[in-house]
Amino acid sequence: MNADINNIVILTGAGISAESGLATFRGPDGLWEGHRVEDVCTPEALARNPVLVHRFYDERRARLAEVAPNPAHQALAALDAAWGGDLLIVTQNVDDLHERAGAQRLLHMHGELQSALCAACGKAEAWTAPLPPASVCTGCGQPRLRPDIVFFGEMPYDMERIDAALCRADLFVSIGTSGAVYPAAGFVQTARHAGARTLELNLDPSAGSAYFEETRLGPASELVPEMVRELLG
Ligand code: APR
């Protein structure tokens, strides 16, 4: 598989963290069940009920201490360390499991639980404790810190960097995502137009499976180490 592959882009979603014990969004135990997206993941929800929204992310941030990276995160970190060409892991996840497995060439397009964003000055700062509404920004001193999560209707982070990587990619791999949310769900199209090989690793067929050259169905903890072994030959 890796004869003519130099530049790799890997998109990950909630499915890669499922075997670590973190709930996915649209699965049977989906996070959104019990919470309507509109109530916890939109700018309007934050304005309407900041206590509920901050508490929702405080609970998910606290959960991180109870979980650990699984073999899929570890395999991607090993690929990152060994791969001589370009490699970028674009995660939709807001957990820290890729980092804890050792991944370096990584970005969080939907933000991170362990970061707080100032709605006044735009500064993001590391945050591992509970984040009550009206917490004070260490940059501007305003009581305007919010979860550093990209809500529905907001622009994901690093889109130019992601697009540039996709346009140079020889291989695009999508792991553990339902393909339900754009712009991430459209990355496979950009990669195909750039002539990249496209591979999907997922427990179930996704909304975008038809766009992939190859789809492998199964748990990420098995499929990702297998793919990395193939790539590292
Ligand atoms: N191994 C591989 N894939 C898995 C596993 C597993 N063990 N368990 C579940 N999956 C797959 C499911 O089949 C599903 O297709 O992971 C996918 C999870 O889909 P979603 O719950 O929709 O999560 P995701 O695709 O990451 O959601 C994208 O939507 O709600 C927003 O911002 C949120 O980043 C999130 C975005």
Side-chain angles (χ1 to χ4, degrees), residues 30-216:
L31 257 183
W32 295 136
E33 288 166 13
H35 284 288
R36 293 183 326 129
V37 169
E38 308 80 86
D39 293 342
V40 290
C41 194
T42 63
E44 295 76 20
L46 180 63
R48 184 173 61 242
N49 194 339
V51 171
L52 170 72
V53 173
H54 279 251
R55 187 185 308 133
F56 177 67
Y57 292 100
D58 284 354
E59 287 165 0
R60 293 177 65 195
R61 188 178 310 108
R63 180 96 176 85
L64 295 179
E66 302 163 4
V67 298
N70 67 56
H73 298 105
Q74 288 155 356
L76 288 190
L79 178 64
D80 186 5
W83 191 256
D86 288 351
L87 182 135
L88 180 61
I89 301 169
V90 180
T91 188
Q92 300 173 89
N93 301 336
V94 293
D95 64 56
D96 63 342
L97 295 177
H98 281 302
E99 290 88 338
R100 286 163 59 190
Q104 303 279 326
R105 294 181 275 184
L106 167 71
L107 67 84
H108 287 265
M109 66 179 287
H110 288 166
E112 298 175 66
L113 287 168
Q114 296 191 328
S115 174
L117 176 69
C118 180
C121 74
K123 176 177 180 275
E125 57 186 283
W127 201 279
T128 55
L131 178 69
S135 293
V136 172
C137 171
T138 58
C140 71
Q142 297 282 331
R144 298 287 309 281
L145 287 179
R146 55 164 273 189
D148 190 3
I149 301 292
V150 178
F151 289 147
F152 284 94
E154 295 182 329
M155 177 59 73
Y157 285 120
D158 296 318
M159 287 306 295
E160 285 182 17
R161 182 179 170 199
I162 296 167
D163 203 57
L166 289 168
C167 290
R168 295 168 32 83
D170 305 306
L171 174 64
F172 173 70
V173 187
S174 177
I175 303 170
T177 181
S178 61
V181 175
Y182 284 81
F187 289 172
V188 61
Q189 300 280 38
T190 306
R192 283 171 61 118
H193 291 320
R197 307 275 300 279
T198 53
L199 171 64
E200 179 183 46
L201 308 180
N202 212 52
L203 195 60
D204 315 297
S206 73
S209 290
Y211 298 119
F212 286 86
E213 194 182 328
E214 183 185 0
T215 290
R216 298 177 187 172

Side-chain angles (χ1 to χ4, degrees), residues 4 11 14-15 62 156 203:
D4 51 357
L11 173 69
L203 195 60

